[in-house]
């Protein structure tokens, strides 16, 4: 009887841990999807509040450090001022939709941190009847993020967005000029809305250059970790 009770207690502990990891996984998926919805609606203030205080954002070859400084500089002082003229929320004629999908989420054994990979496909533009230059474009990218559980609440620790390719709506991505969007070369404060640090290793790239954004997880069958190799032209 005692052995049976111990086995049941061990099984209960195991199942409790498995349920906890599933709950964490769902919370992280929900958090990132909510990030996507907030960003699509230009609710940049709400986006910033999803980060931990020491949160970091990687974007277009630059690193923005700290929720109150770097992250806010990116989303409020750069995106909000550029796309919605300082307004927190959508404005007439501006479109930004980038659905989040193909998530692979890995919770650490202690359930205090996690990593996740998401893919997004963006459609964006400014309507011809809105103030400004009418335009529309496609964009594809990947997120390789880190999350932290603070007092039972999952938050973004590192948001690492890698825009991979862009394309005009009418011409398509096959006709995208190389280096269409230049990466930053100057940091804050010399550039008031620039990153705190430049990413130089690995060197940033955009389509038609190609490379693999490193996977945070090992191969599920072999257990091997994928190692980056130099891209080749075939």
């Amino acid at each position: 009887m005692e052995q049976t009770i111990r086995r049941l207690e061990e099984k209960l502990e195991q199942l409790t841990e498995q349920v906890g990891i599933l709950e964490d996984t769902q919370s992280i998926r929900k958090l990132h999807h909510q990030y996507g919805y907030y960003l699509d609606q230009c609710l940049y203030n709400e986006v910033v509040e999803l980060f931990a205080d020491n949160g970091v954002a990687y974007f277009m070859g630059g690193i923005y450090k700290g929720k109150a400084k770097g992250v806010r500089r990116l989303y409020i002082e750069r995106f909000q001022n550029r796309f919605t003229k300082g307004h927190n929320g959508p404005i007439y004629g501006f479109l930004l939709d980038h659905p989040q999908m193909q998530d692979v989420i890995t919770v650490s054994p202690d359930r205090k941190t996690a990593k996740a990979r998401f893919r997004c496909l963006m459609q964006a533009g400014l309507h011809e009847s809105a103030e400004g230059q009418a335009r529309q474009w496609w964009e594809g990218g990947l997120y390789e993020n880190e999350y932290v559980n603070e007092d039972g609440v999952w938050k973004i620790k590192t948001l690492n967005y890698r825009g991979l390719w862009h394309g005009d709506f009418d011409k398509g991505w096959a006709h995208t000029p190389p280096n269409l969007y230049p990466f930053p070369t100057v940091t804050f404060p010399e550039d008031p809305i620039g990153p705190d640090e430049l990413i130089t290793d690995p060197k940033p790239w955009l389509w038609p250059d190609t490379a693999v954004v490193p996977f945070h997880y090992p191969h599920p069958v072999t257990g091997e970790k994928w190692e980056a190799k130099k891209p080749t032209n075939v």
Side-chain angles (χ1 to χ4, degrees):
M1 178 66 69
E2 291 181 358
Q3 291 181 347
T4 300
I5 292 175
R6 281 199 299 270
R7 285 197 297 268
L8 290 174
E9 289 175 342
E10 291 173 357
K11 187 63 175 180
L12 178 60
E13 183 178 349
Q14 180 184 15
L15 291 174
T16 300
E17 182 68 13
Q18 290 176 349
V19 170
I21 292 175
L22 290 173
E23 290 177 338
D24 292 334
T25 300
Q26 181 60 18
S27 294
I28 293 164
R29 178 180 295 113
K30 182 178 179 180
L31 170 63
H32 186 79
H33 286 182
Q34 289 170 326
Y35 162 87
Y37 280 116
Y38 286 141
L39 188 63
D40 289 348
Q41 295 300 308
C42 304
L43 294 167
Y44 300 110
N45 293 349
E46 283 73 10
V47 167
V48 171
E49 291 302 321
L50 297 176
F51 283 78
D53 288 343
N54 63 346
V56 177
Y58 287 65
F59 179 76
M60 286 296 291
I63 306 175
Y64 298 78
K65 300 179 179 180
K67 171 183 174 180
K69 295 183 178 180
V71 173
R72 179 179 175 82
R73 188 185 320 124
L74 175 64
Y75 287 97
I76 306 298
E77 298 174 26
R78 178 172 173 175
F79 293 160
Q80 188 178 91
N81 288 339
R82 177 181 178 184
F83 295 128
T84 59
K85 303 174 184 177
H87 173 70
N88 187 55
I91 62 171
Y92 176 81
F94 181 65
L95 172 69
L96 179 65
D97 282 333
H98 76 311
Q100 308 300 312
M101 47 194 161
Q102 290 186 295
D103 46 279
V104 178
I105 301 171
T106 306
V107 179
S108 65
D110 62 9
R111 296 178 52 197
K112 294 181 180 180
T113 61
K115 296 181 179 181
R117 186 183 185 97
F118 291 84
R119 181 181 298 281
C120 73
L121 178 62
M122 182 186 297
Q123 307 99 61
L126 186 66
H127 195 269
E128 62 183 0
S129 64
E131 182 181 347
Q133 181 181 358
R135 60 185 300 235
Q136 53 190 5
W137 72 94
W138 297 101
E139 179 177 334
L142 287 172
Y143 289 90
E144 264 287 356
N145 294 350
E146 298 182 15
Y147 303 85
V148 61
N149 190 324
E150 294 183 344
D151 299 324
V153 179
W154 283 100
K155 301 176 183 179
I156 299 172
K157 179 182 179 181
T158 302
L159 185 131
N160 183 7
Y161 175 66
R162 288 300 311 273
L164 303 179
W165 58 268
H166 301 81
D168 288 334
F169 188 87
D170 53 344
K171 296 179 181 179
W173 41 89
H175 304 284
T176 300
N179 304 314
L180 177 63
Y181 295 101
F183 295 104
T185 57
V186 178
T187 58
F188 179 84
E190 183 177 352
D191 179 356
I193 58 173
D196 296 287
E197 183 179 336
L198 301 179
I199 300 174
T200 58
D201 186 20
K203 183 180 178 181
W205 54 270
L206 282 174
W207 171 268
D209 287 331
T210 58
V212 177
V213 177
F215 306 97
H216 75 265
Y217 50 87
H219 190 282
V221 176
T222 66
E224 296 180 358
K225 185 175 181 180
W226 181 86
E227 297 294 340
K229 300 177 182 178
K230 292 186 65 176
T232 60
N233 293 324
V234 179

